[in-house]
């Protein structure tokens, strides 16, 4: 069974950068669509990006376009989220989640993504 573990979160000043990692184990990412999501205090989960099984990033939320870049390394079975130009509004717990290619053609809303990591906290503050 696919397992996902996020890392790389922390405290960063506004304008700074962080790179989050999502290490997958158990099965190959070739067969999954992987999404990055975040949940800010008091808000619902927000989809940030989606990398489909082919490796193409098919979605970025408007709130992060031009600042965040999702990528995938098949050799290490790891998904990354490079975050630049961070703002206080980016403060949230960030999650990666996956859905098998036989269950969907793209990432789904967070509650419908069967495989989820436990999240990593990103705090943007001066």
């Amino acid at each position: 069974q696919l397992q996902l573990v996020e890392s790389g979160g922390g405290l960063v000043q506004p304008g700074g950068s962080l790179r989050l990692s999502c290490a997958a184990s158990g099965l190959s990412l070739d067969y999954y669509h992987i999404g990055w999501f975040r949940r800010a205090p008091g808000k619902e989960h927000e989809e940030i990006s989606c990398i489909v099984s082919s490796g193409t990033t098919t979605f970025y939320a408007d709130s992060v376009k031009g600042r965040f870049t999702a990528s995938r390394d098949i050799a290490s079975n790891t998904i990354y989220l490079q975050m630049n130009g961070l703002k206080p509004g980016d403060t949230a717990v960030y999650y990666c989640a996956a859905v098998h290619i036989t269950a969907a053609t793209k990432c789904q809303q967070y509650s419908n993504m069967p495989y989820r990591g436990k999240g990593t906290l990103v705090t943007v503050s001066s």
Side-chain angles (χ1 to χ4, degrees), residues 2 15 25 29 34 53 59 68-69 71 83 90 111-112 114 125:
L2 186 68
S25 62
L29 291 177
I34 307 293
S53 59
F59 172 79
F68 289 13
T69 303
S71 61
M83 306 187 296
D90 295 318
S111 59
N112 290 336
S125 175

Side-chain angles (χ1 to χ4, degrees), residues 15-88:
S17 298
L18 281 176
R19 188 176 80 156
L20 305 183
S21 300
C22 171
S25 62
L27 292 168
S28 171
L29 291 177
D30 282 333
Y31 301 102
Y32 293 86
H33 311 307
I34 307 293
W36 280 102
F37 299 79
R38 68 185 181 186
R39 186 170 188 178
K43 296 187 177 181
E44 298 295 320
H45 286 92
E46 176 188 14
E47 184 181 358
I48 299 300
S49 69
C50 179
I51 298 180
V52 294
S53 59
S54 65
T56 302
T57 303
T58 59
F59 172 79
Y60 285 106
D62 288 342
S63 56
V64 306
K65 275 181 185 175
R67 300 189 297 124
F68 289 13
T69 303
S71 61
R72 184 180 78 170
D73 181 3
I74 286 295
S76 63
N77 230 27
T78 303
I79 299 287
Y80 299 99
L81 185 67
Q82 178 66 42
M83 306 187 296
N84 299 326
L86 283 161
K87 307 174 182 178

